[in-house]
Amino acid sequence: MLLAINLASNGQSGEGQRLLKQADKLVFPDDRGTLLHQRALILWQSGRLSDALRWFDAAEPLLARYGPDNFYAALFHNRALVWRDLGELHEGMESIQRALELYDRIDVPANRAKAAHLEALLWLDLGEVTKALQAFDEVRDQFRLFAPEHESFVEASYAEALLNVGMYRQSAKRWSEAVAAQRLAGDHRSAAISEFWCAVAAFEDNRFEVGERWARQAMESLYEQGNEPMAVLARLLILQGQFDSGHAGPDFADKVVRLCDALEQRGWALRLNQAKILTARAKIEAKTFEGVEELLNGGSGGPGHDALAEDLARYLAKAELAIAREQDPVPELLAGLDLLDGYRMTFGSVEFQAGVSALGVQLSNKGLGYATSHGGPAEVLWWAERSRAQSLRVPPVKSSADPDAREALGRLRQARQELWDLQVEGKDAEEALARVSELETGIRDYDRAKSGPGEQAVRIAPEKIHELANSRDTVLVNMFHVDDTLQAVLVGGDGFRRVDLMSLEAAIELERRIGADLDALSRTFKYPERLRRSVEGSMRRNASALAAGIWDPIAEYVGDRRLVVVPHSKLAWVPWPLLPPLRGRPVTVSPSAEVWWRAVRRPAATGSAIVAAGPRLVRADSEIASVGALYPDTEVIWAERSDPEMVLKALDGASVAHLAAHGHHEPDNVLFSRLDFGLGPLNAYELLSLDQPPTHVVLSSCDLGRSTVEVGNETLGFTAALLHAGTSTVVSSLAKVPDDMAAEMMIEYHRRCAAGATPAEALAAVGEHRPWHPFVAFGA
């Protein structure tokens, strides 16, 4: 019996069943309950869920009477696995909690840890993501003590949680690590299922070739193991990828229908409704409407991410059906996006709030496309705003201010300082680097387990945005794309206007070239003048080409007004003030029109100015001394002993903050983008704890104006964290800046601000004679 289950776990279900038949002839009556349990378990591993439940039911009275106790507890544990795969989550929770009660009576800590892990997974399925994450941390500790070989399963569970909040790339990375660990341990069944989820994450991230490779690999392994239903799901996933990438063939709907039938015949409910919705969408695309409404009838109404994903897919399909019938799709699209808003507000983590937006990209894009072809510019603006900076509408949850988080951040600062010292001395820093990574992971996991505020800012009508822009002699340019064309809605001038700009692909390529030019330029300040002129020439050509495609179509409308750019998410790193026609013009860059509107109207902080310097900058102390002298009652924090805790405290309520310190943008761990001070780093994560963030912040060195753009068109990074916390204006750089240049520019910049200029006006004046500086005013 034991050999049978081991073979099945390694993907040899048929051989396991054969051995059980042999055992059936030999087993004592007292052990028959164990045999029936093993039979049920192998049937579950083969995807025969209804049969598995039947044999678990038969085994229960025998195990209750004869034991052994650990098998009796395991029966409830394994039956919960079957209920979970059937989507019957409440039955699964009831069963696993019974297993935990039984495990508490017997001393099998490794098995109890496995049951606690399944309970956490069921919390995740039920939509209690933060509760599940807290439980995963506890389970990981138990596995390390009692079953270290199972720790990889916790990593897979984190991957599932990340998938549930739209963080697809991070999820895929964790799933692939789980696959490697499971294959190394010889657990081919779990590895094949992890490969399936790798494919799900890759497809959701629009990496269709990668997704199809994972899905085919999973499908072949699952068929080989006899797990036909999961193999069918992998095949269905391949078809979903073909549909989403526009490669569905003429008989596509028939293929999906056959797979749906195969799933229904085997009683496999997991993702069955999604398959039916895919069938409906394929029929709608083919203009074959027979049976479509029946496929889309009802709604899951259940809890958790799977139910949410199903509901969102159904709303999308109903909207597509309305468009195909020349009806209004907007009610269906809005219902889906409103549902997503409610889901976003349950999370306290900014990363999760941003990631959730990825779940609604197809809905918002469908609404934007419909508004472009059927509505006016104001309606287009409204839909463009539904797909960007949604996380900035949710008030920050100040988890970094909690005592446990503060203590962990203190340990992280110490670890980073030790790492820096070792690197400077040229010593082996591998252990110190691992310690930093471990501490950051712990802090990030703590943050992700925080519940959300359950509220968000109200939406701003396009008319109100236009009215405010017009009153400030400002034009707001809100960029988006439809098909492959970059477009913009213009507001603030003579009414609303929508204009075509240029090819999105061409604009992205020019952004890449300008970024490379900026990085090269920052390295040539000490090189021969001829090399510098060559780089400047390349910059001039690329910036002029981008201006021709974006500025020329809007120049007449903008006239002499100030400019606010809400860039397309793929153009987040364009230094807009560098475009030759914009030199000397006040330009602000904002994540969304609503963010700009709120920043303009936000009451200004009235506290003293703060200037702070970090080490290893040639002119940092003299820079902050000069800047500090321009404002009354300035708090000055000198470089060598600058304490990030002291800086954070001084930032709260400050009217102006000037921070001259080296910074690091961490694209893979954005909340630990940081500024280096004498006693350690100040992390972006900590800025969200401010009760009243400074109105105006200047980051005078490095490239902390850069951001990481998530799948859902959300930006994350140091500058974005300040805007999320409530700072109205952040001036920061999109490239590294020589110390001397930064100091000279920023002293002149503050001199103009102190004399009454707005940040955008001051930066425009300072930049007019420094044409290739990378500083940008973000926010308002």
Side-chain angles (χ1 to χ4, degrees), residues 494-513:
D494 185 16
F496 292 87
R497 186 179 301 178
R498 181 172 65 86
V499 295
D500 290 339
L501 300 177
M502 64 187 300
S503 157
L504 177 61
E505 184 178 347
I508 292 170
E509 174 60 20
L510 288 169
E511 183 211 41
R512 187 194 64 77
R513 292 181 184 179

Side-chain angles (χ1 to χ4, degrees), residues 98-121:
R98 174 66 174 141
L100 286 166
E101 289 174 13
L102 293 169
Y103 280 130
D104 285 336
R105 300 178 192 172
I106 58 178
D107 187 20
V108 192
N111 287 0
R112 194 199 184 285
K114 293 177 190 176
H117 181 219
L118 178 54
E119 183 188 37
L121 286 169

Side-chain angles (χ1 to χ4, degrees), residues 214-262:
W214 278 116
R216 290 194 181 280
Q217 189 170 318
M219 182 175 67
E220 291 167 7
S221 297
L222 291 162
Y223 271 130
E224 186 178 328
Q225 295 168 19
N227 192 342
E228 187 180 359
M230 277 297 294
V232 171
L233 286 180
R235 173 63 181 147
L236 180 65
L237 197 58
I238 293 169
L239 292 178
Q240 177 80 61
Q242 291 173 353
F243 184 83
D244 289 342
S245 62
H247 292 97
D251 59 343
F252 181 84
D254 292 337
K255 291 179 182 177
V256 183
V257 167
R258 287 195 292 272
L259 290 178
C260 286
D261 291 343

Side-chain angles (χ1 to χ4, degrees), residues 463-538:
E463 291 75 16
K464 288 188 175 182
I465 295 169
H466 174 72
E467 181 183 329
L468 183 63
N470 186 265
S471 70
R472 295 174 63 84
D473 198 28
T474 296
V475 166
L476 188 142
V477 181
N478 196 310
M479 298 182 192
F480 61 95
H481 82 279
V482 174
D483 297 327
D484 296 322
T485 302
L486 187 65
Q487 301 185 25
V489 172
L490 313 178
V491 300
D494 185 16
F496 292 87
R497 186 179 301 178
R498 181 172 65 86
V499 295
D500 290 339
L501 300 177
M502 64 187 300
S503 157
L504 177 61
E505 184 178 347
I508 292 170
E509 174 60 20
L510 288 169
E511 183 211 41
R512 187 194 64 77
R513 292 181 184 179
I514 291 171
D517 290 337
L518 272 178
D519 288 340
L521 200 60
S522 69
R523 296 192 295 268
T524 62
F525 280 94
K526 297 180 181 178
Y527 291 134
E529 182 67 20
R530 186 175 63 180
L531 177 58
R532 179 175 172 76
R533 285 200 303 270
S534 174
V535 176
E536 285 184 347
S538 175

Side-chain angles (χ1 to χ4, degrees), residues 140-221:
R140 180 194 276 129
D141 293 340
Q142 293 173 40
F143 277 156
R144 284 176 178 171
L145 282 173
F146 305 117
E149 69 276 13
H150 289 294
E151 193 173 341
S152 66
F153 288 101
V154 180
E155 288 306 306
S157 302
Y158 273 109
E160 191 169 343
L162 293 172
L163 187 68
N164 285 7
V165 293
M167 298 179 68
Y168 302 131
R169 193 147 303 188
Q170 297 93 325
S171 174
K173 182 174 182 292
R174 292 215 186 195
W175 279 119
S176 63
E177 290 168 355
V179 169
Q182 288 156 356
R183 290 215 172 276
L184 188 63
D187 187 353
H188 300 294
R189 177 190 175 277
S190 296
I193 293 173
S194 293
E195 287 167 352
F196 171 85
W197 290 108
C198 275
V200 172
F203 279 130
E204 294 288 2
D205 195 28
N206 297 326
R207 293 183 296 144
F208 298 109
E209 291 183 9
V210 174
E212 184 160 341
R213 282 200 303 272
W214 278 116
R216 290 194 181 280
Q217 189 170 318
M219 182 175 67
E220 291 167 7
S221 297

